Amino acid sequence: MFPIFRDRVPAGGLLAEALAGRSFENAVELALPRGGVPVAMAVAEALHAPLDLILVRKLGAPTQPELAVGAVVDGAQPEIVLNDAIVAELGVSQAEINRIAARELGVIAMRRQRWLSGRPPTSLAGCTALIVDDGIATGATVRAAVHAVRRQGAVKVIVATPVAPAEVVAGLAEIADDVVVLETPRPFHAIGRFYDDFSQLSDDDVTRMLADARHPPPVA
């Protein structure tokens, strides 16, 4: 499978074109860092929507940290989204979940401080939440984000990304109000295969992009 997109910025431009004809009332765009930020910037500019981050951390099982019992998602009121079947199978207690979530919320707080100088999350009450990433592979992180923003008061949830597997798109369509995906290639494999340049972004890159989004240069 040959690359489809040159890099994240033009991919964001194409995604913005796909979203341009739609009406989003009280839209707030939520980028999944790091890779979702440059994609989301192009979309935010086209839709004239405020841009924030949505930070999601896996809750690893106490004895099997690689196995997710759920996720914690930041917001005005952080949300824990659990995989009830795995929690029951492993017998993970609420006290253990709270302990793991507190640790991961600490990581989220550090990243929000680093990237947004500690600016609190945007309130989603009564808003349309537009969740954007540079690609979706399994959909686990995005699913947690969708559930969390609904609990935080979003009246409509849209997921938008340049590339994702068709079966993942179908699953997300069951929980989101709309899913906008430019390409659903088969076989899928890794997201990076569909970009000529899929370079990892640094913390400084994310900080600079978000600062530019908040303070765009004046029009000449």
Side-chain angles (χ1 to χ4, degrees):
M1 173 62 69
F2 55 86
I4 300 171
F5 308 107
R6 188 173 75 249
D7 59 40
R8 294 179 179 92
V9 175
L14 293 171
L15 191 60
E17 290 178 8
L19 291 163
R22 300 166 186 246
S23 176
F24 301 107
E25 188 172 354
N26 297 324
V28 174
E29 191 178 2
L30 302 168
L32 281 155
R34 296 182 175 88
V37 175
V39 177
M41 283 187 65
V43 175
E45 182 177 354
L47 298 182
H48 306 288
L51 175 62
D52 200 350
L53 298 180
I54 184 162
L55 300 167
V56 183
R57 293 286 295 177
K58 178 180 76 173
L59 302 181
T63 57
Q64 303 178 58
E66 74 285 353
L67 178 61
V69 299
V72 62
V73 185
D74 77 330
Q77 295 181 334
E79 294 283 348
I80 296 174
V81 179
L82 296 178
N83 185 325
D84 293 326
I86 293 180
V87 170
E89 180 182 346
L90 299 180
V92 183
S93 69
Q94 187 61 51
E96 289 174 311
I97 291 170
N98 292 343
R99 176 181 57 80
I100 298 166
R103 181 186 67 212
E104 299 303 334
L105 280 170
V107 175
I108 284 174
M110 286 190 295
R111 290 186 173 179
R112 185 165 280 279
Q113 178 63 42
R114 181 183 304 143
W115 292 331
L116 288 165
S117 301
R119 178 164 62 89
T122 303
S123 173
L124 300 178
C127 292
T128 294
L130 180 61
I131 300 171
V132 177
D133 205 353
D134 56 2
I136 300 172
T138 67
T141 297
V142 176
R143 290 181 71 89
V146 170
H147 288 301
V149 299
R150 285 205 189 279
R151 293 179 189 175
Q152 292 169 14
V155 296
K156 192 173 184 180
V157 182
I158 313 296
V159 174
T161 189
V163 62
E167 60 273 19
V168 171
V169 174
L172 290 172
E174 295 178 357
I175 61 171
D177 295 285
D178 197 4
V179 182
V180 180
V181 180
L182 301 180
E183 300 286 346
T184 55
R186 292 180 183 275
F188 189 84
H189 301 303
I191 295 168
R193 293 189 63 184
F194 307 111
Y195 286 85
D196 277 322
D197 181 358
F198 199 65
S199 304
Q200 183 174 351
L201 299 174
S202 69
D203 286 341
D204 287 343
D205 291 331
V206 174
T207 301
R208 173 182 51 78
M209 290 177 186
L210 292 169
D212 290 345
R214 293 182 65 195
H215 305 290
V219 178

